[in-house]
Amino acid sequence: MVVKVYGPDYASPKRVLVCLIEKDVEFETVIVDLFKGEHKAPEYLKLQPFGSVPVVQDGDYTLFDSRAIIRYYAEKYKHQGTELLGKTIEERGLVEQWLEVEAHNFQPPIYDLVHNLVYGPLIGLTPDPKQLKESEDKLCQVLDIYEERLSKSKYLAGDFFSLADLSHLPFTQYLMGKMGKEYLIRDRKHVSGWWDDISSRPSWKKVLELWPGQY
């Protein structure tokens, strides 16, 4: 049964797409136009009651939340494709730790920047300079911690590429693209090298080629 991934044009679903490619899992995509309100349609809300993307359907199994989905497939296909969870329980613990950091420390400020600078103008919203500065300052604090961490290990969880790194790809790409804030990455030697490494993976290049979105 081919996995269906809803909402491929947006950032969070791209976590799922790149994970599935890394794991050599066959999938197809279903377009969900947020600007047309398709995520609030009754049929979609049966799949995702909060009306956000992504959702996956895998046979009779339905799952939402991008990080829950990538954890699921990394575990389900643990012995297929790229190992994304670590080989020991200690490595798995570090993967989970940095996934939580990404979700709770990195994601909030970068999401605010993307919302204000990329999607807000598309719906007629004017960015708030004060909020932009606060978000950028918070993101800089996180990236400073990453710089320290990545001065000691090649990837966030150790010397192996994992879900912890993969999960950063979709939103960091905005910094390097139309947002024009690549200096946040380039001003940090080890973060910059890490980004060049993970963003050059064939899986991510394929995602950008097929679903360029708003980058």
Side-chain angles (χ1 to χ4, degrees):
M1 187 70 69
V2 176
V3 177
K4 288 184 179 180
V5 183
Y6 288 76
D9 291 319
Y10 304 98
S12 292
K14 287 180 169 62
R15 284 193 186 94
V16 176
L17 300 177
V18 70
C19 177
L20 292 174
I21 294 170
E22 289 280 352
K23 299 304 291 182
D24 297 325
V25 176
E26 187 178 359
F27 64 91
E28 61 185 34
T29 59
V30 180
I31 300 298
V32 180
D33 192 329
L34 304 188
F35 292 101
K36 293 182 179 178
E38 292 176 357
H39 57 306
K40 299 297 184 183
E43 288 304 308
Y44 186 78
L45 291 174
K46 291 178 182 178
L47 301 174
Q48 218 299 12
F50 299 101
S52 60
V53 290
V55 175
V56 297
Q57 287 183 297
D58 192 342
D60 295 331
Y61 186 64
T62 300
L63 189 64
F64 60 79
D65 185 89
S66 62
R67 295 176 190 83
I69 295 168
I70 63 176
R71 284 178 166 107
Y72 169 73
Y73 283 109
E75 186 66 50
K76 181 176 182 179
Y77 296 101
K78 186 170 178 61
H79 302 295
Q80 175 177 312
T82 306
E83 172 55 70
L84 296 171
L85 293 171
K87 295 179 180 179
T88 66
I89 190 66
E90 289 78 17
E91 289 180 350
R92 175 67 179 267
L94 288 171
V95 172
E96 293 291 349
Q97 170 185 277
W98 287 101
L99 261 177
E100 290 297 303
V101 170
E102 184 272 326
H104 300 291
N105 300 91
F106 179 85
Q107 177 74 6
I110 199 169
Y111 178 86
D112 285 344
L113 288 172
V114 171
H115 177 74
N116 275 281
L117 293 174
V118 179
Y119 286 99
L122 296 177
I123 56 175
L125 299 179
T126 301
D128 179 347
K130 181 180 179 182
Q131 184 177 2
L132 289 176
K133 185 180 186 308
E134 289 177 353
S135 297
E136 185 166 324
D137 288 347
K138 289 178 182 178
L139 183 58
C140 284
Q141 291 173 6
V142 177
L143 291 174
D144 286 343
I145 292 171
Y146 282 23
E147 179 69 7
E148 172 66 17
R149 170 61 178 171
L150 293 165
S151 72
K152 300 175 181 176
S153 64
K154 186 176 181 180
Y155 300 101
L156 287 171
D159 291 326
F160 59 98
F161 178 76
S162 74
L163 291 184
D165 309 290
L166 177 154
S167 195
H168 287 80
L169 284 164
F171 279 87
T172 307
Q173 189 69 50
Y174 282 113
L175 296 179
M176 312 305 290
K178 66 171 53 179
M179 283 173 61
K181 291 188 176 292
E182 65 276 4
Y183 60 86
L184 295 176
I185 301 298
R186 296 304 179 202
D187 287 351
R188 296 166 172 84
K189 174 184 176 181
H190 297 98
V191 172
S192 182
W194 167 74
W195 172 253
D196 287 342
D197 184 321
I198 67 174
S199 64
S200 66
R201 294 182 72 84
S203 58
W204 184 241
K205 289 183 175 180
K206 183 174 182 180
V207 168
L208 293 181
E209 177 186 347
L210 296 177
W211 301 279
Q214 295 295 325
Y215 295 132

